[in-house]
Amino acid sequence: QVQLVESGGGLVQAGGSLRLSCAASGRTFSSYSMGWFRQAPGKEREFVAGLSRSGGSTRYADSVKGRFTISRDNANNTVYLQMNSLKPEDTAVYYCAAAYSSGSRVVITTLGQYNSWGQGTQVTVSS
């Protein structure tokens, strides 16, 4: 497993942008498919974006398509979530997650397939 630490959350006005970072420990970061999830108060944790080991394949929730971009830097063991045109409904705790993957192009979107999680970072979007 890898250890994950998120950063970059905060308070932003609607229409603004934030960039979340997730730093991973370990020497096998490039063996993991990575994902971002979020959980709003009173709601279940939901998939936001996913990225293959190579970074060449991505998937997004419909609610964030065209506004969020997931990327990774395997040399620095970091995955990012660039969030633009933020809306109040994007307010949530955002979690980084890792899933060991044997396929370089596999993107995992199912919460239960991820076995390493960060502690979460709060994103609040004011109207």
Side-chain angles (χ1 to χ4, degrees):
Q1 291 188 350
V2 294
Q3 305 298 317
L4 304 172
V5 179
E6 303 98 333
S7 62
L11 173 64
V12 64
Q13 288 188 332
S17 298
L18 281 175
R19 189 194 197 199
L20 304 183
S21 299
C22 174
S25 65
R27 296 175 292 176
T28 60
F29 177 69
S30 60
S31 298
Y32 289 82
S33 176
M34 301 299 295
W36 284 96
F37 289 75
R38 67 187 181 187
Q39 188 166 17
K43 295 188 176 181
E44 294 185 350
R45 193 170 299 189
E46 64 176 3
F47 171 78
V48 174
L51 184 66
S52 62
R53 281 170 36 186
S54 66
S57 299
T58 58
R59 291 278 299 277
Y60 296 92
D62 288 344
S63 59
V64 307
K65 277 181 182 176
R67 300 188 298 122
F68 290 11
T69 302
I70 187 171
S71 62
R72 69 190 296 162
D73 180 350
N74 283 346
N76 290 300
N77 286 10
T78 305
V79 63
Y80 303 97
L81 185 68
Q82 177 67 43
M83 305 186 295
N84 298 329
S85 302
L86 282 161
K87 305 175 181 179
E89 51 264 44
D90 294 318
T91 295
V93 177
Y94 283 71
Y95 297 90
C96 174
Y100 182 80
S101 173
S102 59
S104 63
R105 298 183 179 183
V106 173
V107 180
I108 299 173
T109 62
T110 306
L111 184 149
Q113 290 186 268
Y114 284 90
N115 48 26
S116 295
W117 292 85
Q119 81 289 351
T121 185
Q122 176 70 46
V123 171
T124 303
V125 184
S126 63
S127 57

